[in-house]
Amino acid sequence: MSEGAGRPEGRAGQGPDAASNDQVLQLDSFEVQVVPITQQLRPFLHELTVSVRWPHRDSDLDFLIRQGEGYLALDEIGRPVGSAMHFPMGKDFALLGMMVTPPRLQARGGGRFLLRTIMRDCAGRDMRLNATRSGYRLYREEGFLDVGKVWQHQGLVGEVPVPDPLPGVEIRQITPQDRAAIEAMDAHAYGADRGPILAALMQAGHGLIALCAGQPCGFALVRQFGKGQVIGPLVAEDERMAVAMTARLLDGGRGSFMRMDTPFPGTGLRAFLTASGMTQFDTVTEMRVGPQRRAETGTVTFALAAHSLG
């Protein structure tokens, strides 16, 4: 918890920031108060992420709270014991994330309660999430279907291999005038309109755009996150283009810690990341409720913005 942050006075959820739609979950001999996540409650969310060894900094959590909505579960003396959020994208889609359910809550059904609360809020929308091993069974039981694996690569960037040249492809820095083209490519690749989130990501960092015969055919963003920087989203027409943009971004980050989460099943990009010092750290399973919306042809997604943003 950050310095100077206090817990709600008296019963959890009854302080000045408590919302009128707080919910109560009875877990064995103690009650859990479920309250909407606000910027003022970010220290509690940070306390949760630290407990499960997630690398999120305060500024990372502030960014996510601004983009989404969700809930914190607080026990009777105001300690955080769980969280869940959703990030609306367009009128008919949402990404579920920040599902933090330590064993104490998970074993008593708290994770399921929070998930069902979020799913109720997203009624009428298709949904997607990235499941850790500990949450996978719960999501299957609640109707989520597998989309595919996401490989998390991270590490200190060393010597970056020089990729093969791409004749006819120009890669340059993104400018504000590229925003419409980036949003169009991302909407096709991602399967939903996340224009406001993309705008926030572009403001938070910088990136590259690829042009094929003068027409936009890919982009990659990079920003500060966790222990260093994260590359994503990255959208491209093929894996060679994805590698070329990644190489440019890694070349500027030699000696620093970088991360990429890729859902692409090919091995070329992952081999390139490993050769650059970013070895595979973990995997999660992307899951969905509703049709498969991620593109498999044209511009496709090679790197996620974050597990909680897709």
Side-chain angles (χ1 to χ4, degrees):
M1 178 171 294
S2 61
E3 184 178 357
R7 301 186 183 278
E9 296 180 1
R11 181 173 172 174
Q14 298 303 311
D17 294 326
S20 59
N21 61 340
D22 293 355
Q23 303 174 69
V24 175
L25 171 63
Q26 184 74 39
L27 292 180
D28 294 341
S29 60
F30 67 96
E31 286 185 351
V32 169
Q33 199 82 9
V34 180
V35 301
I37 291 176
T38 64
Q39 211 74 42
Q40 291 72 29
L41 294 179
R42 182 256 293 153
F44 298 95
L45 188 58
H46 186 249
E47 189 173 333
L48 276 174
T49 59
V50 169
S51 74
V52 292
R53 298 184 178 180
W54 288 6
H56 297 63
R57 304 166 303 161
D58 287 348
S59 57
D60 300 326
L61 296 176
D62 286 339
F63 183 90
L64 291 170
I65 291 171
R66 288 194 297 269
Q67 308 309 318
E69 304 171 18
Y71 300 95
L72 272 173
L74 304 172
D75 70 12
E76 290 180 309
I77 59 173
R79 294 174 300 186
V81 293
S83 67
M85 296 186 69
H86 74 279
F87 301 86
M89 300 173 187
K91 296 181 179 180
D92 60 355
F93 185 83
L95 199 293
L96 277 57
M98 296 306 297
M99 312 286 289
V100 187
T101 49
R104 179 189 180 201
L105 186 70
Q106 199 170 45
R108 294 172 169 82
R112 190 181 304 275
F113 179 85
L114 287 169
L115 175 62
R116 287 180 174 178
T117 301
I118 288 292
M119 292 179 70
R120 182 195 63 212
D121 289 352
C122 295
R125 295 176 181 263
D126 294 337
M127 290 173 278
R128 194 185 296 165
L129 57 77
N130 290 292
T132 60
R133 292 175 182 84
S134 62
Y136 178 80
R137 180 178 176 182
L138 168 63
Y139 302 134
R140 283 298 299 256
E141 291 173 351
E142 293 300 318
F144 283 84
L145 302 175
D146 289 22
V147 174
K149 188 177 290 187
V150 176
W151 291 266
Q152 179 181 337
H153 280 251
Q154 63 184 44
L156 293 175
V157 178
E159 192 67 26
V160 180
V162 178
D164 295 333
L166 297 176
V169 177
E170 175 192 359
I171 298 175
R172 62 164 172 80
Q173 292 289 325
I174 288 171
T175 69
Q177 289 70 38
D178 296 318
R179 178 174 168 181
I182 287 172
E183 289 182 359
M185 288 187 286
D186 185 76
H188 171 80
Y190 191 82
D193 174 15
R194 54 175 178 171
I197 289 176
L198 276 176
L201 290 169
M202 292 173 67
Q203 186 175 12
H206 61 93
L208 303 170
I209 187 166
L211 304 173
C212 301
Q215 298 300 311
C217 54
F219 74 93
L221 302 181
V222 61
R223 70 187 191 282
Q224 293 292 320
F225 175 84
K227 299 177 181 179
Q229 298 182 81
V230 61
I231 296 175
L234 190 159
V235 168
E237 288 188 350
D238 59 47
E239 193 170 26
R240 291 178 62 204
M241 188 184 302
V243 168
M245 287 191 287
T246 300
R248 287 273 297 270
L249 294 174
L250 292 185
D251 200 48
R254 294 188 186 189
S256 63
F257 185 92
M258 299 191 77
R259 169 177 170 173
M260 178 186 284
D261 297 276
T262 175
F264 188 72
T267 58
L269 176 59
R270 286 185 278 129
F272 181 83
L273 293 171
T274 299
S276 301
M278 298 168 61
T279 57
Q280 181 180 318
F281 176 75
D282 199 3
T283 61
V284 296
T285 303
E286 189 174 56
M287 307 183 77
R288 62 179 169 85
V289 166
Q292 163 63 303
R293 298 171 63 136
R294 187 182 291 289
E296 297 178 352
T297 59
T299 51
V300 300
T301 299
F302 283 87
L304 309 183
H307 284 177
S308 293
L309 298 175

